[in-house]
Amino acid sequence: MVNNAPKVQAFNSYYAQAKSLYAAGDLSAARELFLKAASLANEISVTSSAYDVRMEYHKLAVKLLDFARTKCVRHATPAGAAPAKKNTEDGEVKSFTAEKGGKTITFADVAGLQDVKDQVIFHVLEPMKNPELAKAYGINPGGKLLLYGPPGTGKTFIARAIAGEVDAAFYAINCQDLISKYMGDSSKQLDKLFDEAQQNERAIIFFDEFDSVASKRGDGTGGVDAEMARFVATFLTKVDGFKKSETCKMLLLIAATNRPWALDSAMLRGGRFDTQIYIGVPDQKAREFMVNKAMKDLPLDPDVRLSDIARRLEGFGGGDIVAACDKIRLEAYKKSVRLGKKQNITKADCDLILSGLRNNTGADEIAKFEAYRQGLDVT
Ligand SMILES: Nc1ncnc2c1ncn2[C@@H]1O[C@H](COP(=O)(O)OP(=O)(O)OP(=O)(O)O)[C@@H](O)[C@H]1O
Ligand SMILES: [Mg+2]
């Protein structure tokens, strides 16, 4: 039986410290400790044998994660007061730079997710290749996509692959950073971002962790809520007002979230992010693709079958699958170092790693996404 007492003790200590830091206004330190406490609560929840304890700590983990993400950000300047701090040293709004170069990933690197690929093929790639044909059907290149699903299922990964496929300027925006760094000024930043993106003939703006800026308003009292309301309003003006211009012929907005139910419903109406795609855990074919890619060039014992490894990873997200393969590889490498010569990866190496894995995507979380997909109320 697992003895969770030391973890519970550590959890209590982190939680207490986080609360006092939050009360003292040190939000970034508080965020850090709330996240540590949430991670411990999660560990306690998955390892405990008592149902009540599992549920209690699961709820605590979700609550603390949510609190760290949404509340542990700098508060806005109260209305009417002078801004406390400018964004940059000279007070200018920060410029955004499109990402270019570096290691490019493309659709060929992405397992499955054909529905996302199709959206991009029919809304961007084909209309760019043959504009006349698209025009005959009233298809304008570009648009808005909302990708949602559990953590580690490939939302950010596919957004980067889209950038690799479409020869467009790619602006990757971490919304959590946008709101916490530019509290009080995030809507100005947004103005600037759209202006800069639209200087390009083709542009993609990727809003990662979209729920941190576009959540439903809470109790309406916090600075974060007011900031979000401003952000949502500016965002909607930009989205509704976008027209193709001489300079910008294609603008694709991609937003990603793992809490779609928390989004402000104004974002999801027709003409806005009405194309929503669920990014779930991969099927056997997609898992085999990932395992093959991670392990195909390694020395394997003849009885190690990559398809069996993929089967044992059923229910895991892409991030966990890649991490599991990394661990197996490391295990064999350590053995080779110890023995001073190259060793095959054995079935025992695989068993050791696979049997010790903990799935971070719980069944209740998947159920929540299923309920959301069916249009049920999820909170
Ligand atoms: N469909 C996929 N094909 C290939 N690799 C994948 C796929 N999905 C996930 N991965 C791998 O898993 C890693 C984690 O995925 P990613 O960061 O895109 O998840 P995410 O959905 O954005 O998670 P979060 O909601 O936590 O932001 C990727 O860097 C990639 O290596
Ligand atoms: Mg992501």
Side-chain angles (χ1 to χ4, degrees):
M1 206 169 122
V2 186
N3 175 14
N4 266 333
K7 279 191 185 143
V8 170
Q9 207 176 8
F11 167 81
N12 287 336
S13 152
Y14 281 138
Y15 190 20
Q17 287 177 62
K19 281 195 287 193
S20 51
L21 285 164
Y22 182 78
D26 189 347
L27 298 190
S28 80
R31 183 173 196 268
E32 195 111 306
L33 289 179
F34 275 126
L35 289 176
K36 279 189 180 159
S39 157
L40 275 173
N42 191 39
E43 280 181 36
I44 297 166
S45 159
V46 293
T47 50
S48 171
S49 49
Y51 176 79
D52 288 353
V53 177
R54 283 208 305 274
M55 290 317 287
E56 184 192 340
Y57 279 91
H58 172 71
K59 280 188 194 144
L60 270 169
V62 173
K63 192 176 113 188
L64 294 181
L65 205 56
D66 203 47
F67 192 85
R69 281 185 170 174
T70 56
K71 301 286 183 217
C72 292
V73 284
R74 196 146 45 87
H75 284 274
T77 314
K85 200 168 155 231
K86 296 281 188 189
N87 286 330
T88 53
E89 279 169 37
D90 59 2
E92 281 298 303
V93 175
K94 172 186 173 275
S95 266
F96 289 90
T97 0
E99 287 181 12
K100 286 200 187 78
K103 191 172 157 270
T104 311
I105 49 168
T106 65
F107 283 170
D109 299 299
V110 180
L113 306 183
Q114 193 54 44
D115 37 0
V116 189
K117 292 176 185 169
D118 281 348
Q119 286 288 337
V120 175
I121 290 169
F122 293 115
H123 287 278
V124 185
L125 297 174
E126 285 298 330
M128 275 177 358
K129 242 192 264 165
N130 190 345
E132 286 308 309
L133 184 66
K135 210 165 143 203
Y137 290 89
I139 308 282
N140 287 316
K144 298 151 217 112
L145 285 181
L146 175 75
L147 310 179
Y148 68 94
T153 45
K155 298 179 289 298
T156 303
F157 194 66
I158 190 140
R160 294 198 173 275
I162 294 172
E165 284 296 322
V166 181
D167 180 23
F170 184 73
Y171 295 82
I173 307 300
N174 181 309
C175 295
Q176 180 68 51
D177 282 357
L178 189 72
I179 207 153
S180 57
K181 274 198 208 139
Y182 302 106
M183 196 46 128
D185 262 347
S186 63
S187 51
K188 233 186 264 171
Q189 290 293 329
L190 195 62
D191 262 331
K192 178 99 176 164
L193 170 66
F194 273 82
D195 287 350
E196 287 185 18
Q198 284 168 237
Q199 306 289 318
N200 299 283
E201 195 180 331
R202 294 189 283 263
I204 298 174
I205 313 181
F206 175 52
F207 295 94
D208 211 353
E209 296 194 41
F210 194 50
D211 50 280
S212 51
V213 285
S215 284
K216 285 173 189 149
R217 267 56 63 90
D219 56 11
T221 52
V224 178
D225 282 348
E227 180 70 2
M228 261 190 215
R230 267 199 296 276
F231 183 95
V232 169
T234 315
F235 191 89
L236 294 179
T237 342
K238 291 283 155 198
V239 172
D240 294 342
F242 172 70
K243 297 219 170 38
K244 261 199 308 179
S245 66
E246 268 313 298
T247 337
C248 188
K249 302 217 164 40
M250 193 290 288
L251 179 66
L252 175 66
L253 304 181
I254 309 170
T257 177
N258 41 42
R259 298 191 316 141
W261 42 82
L263 293 180
D264 192 317
S265 58
M267 288 290 179
L268 309 174
R269 272 186 221 133
R272 292 176 183 161
F273 283 105
D274 51 358
T275 306
Q276 302 184 18
I277 304 180
Y278 178 55
I279 313 279
V281 292
D283 59 13
Q284 172 66 10
K285 198 166 152 219
R287 290 195 301 272
E288 277 186 29
F289 176 102
M290 288 182 229
V291 173
N292 272 318
K293 198 168 151 217
M295 297 185 48
K296 71 176 176 347
D297 294 327
L298 302 174
L300 302 175
D301 260 6
D303 62 344
V304 172
R305 286 212 186 78
L306 298 184
S307 57
D308 288 343
I309 298 181
R311 207 161 290 120
R312 288 182 64 181
L313 287 163
E314 185 177 357
F316 285 83
D320 289 340
I321 294 174
V322 172
C325 295
D326 287 348
K327 281 187 187 158
I328 294 175
R329 206 166 9 171
L330 182 67
E331 201 52 38
Y333 171 66
K334 280 189 198 159
K335 217 168 43 179
S336 304
V337 170
R338 270 196 304 269
L339 297 173
K341 79 181 206 312
K342 204 152 132 190
Q343 298 294 307
N344 276 357
I345 292 178
T346 64
K347 215 157 171 292
D349 295 331
C350 300
D351 286 344
L352 179 74
I353 301 301
L354 294 172
S355 59
L357 287 183
R358 195 162 47 85
N359 195 346
N360 295 313
T361 318
D364 41 355
E365 198 177 354
I366 300 284
K368 213 167 160 180
F369 280 103
E370 285 304 330
Y372 177 80
R373 290 175 79 187
Q374 288 167 24
L376 302 173
D377 239 0
V378 180
T379 45

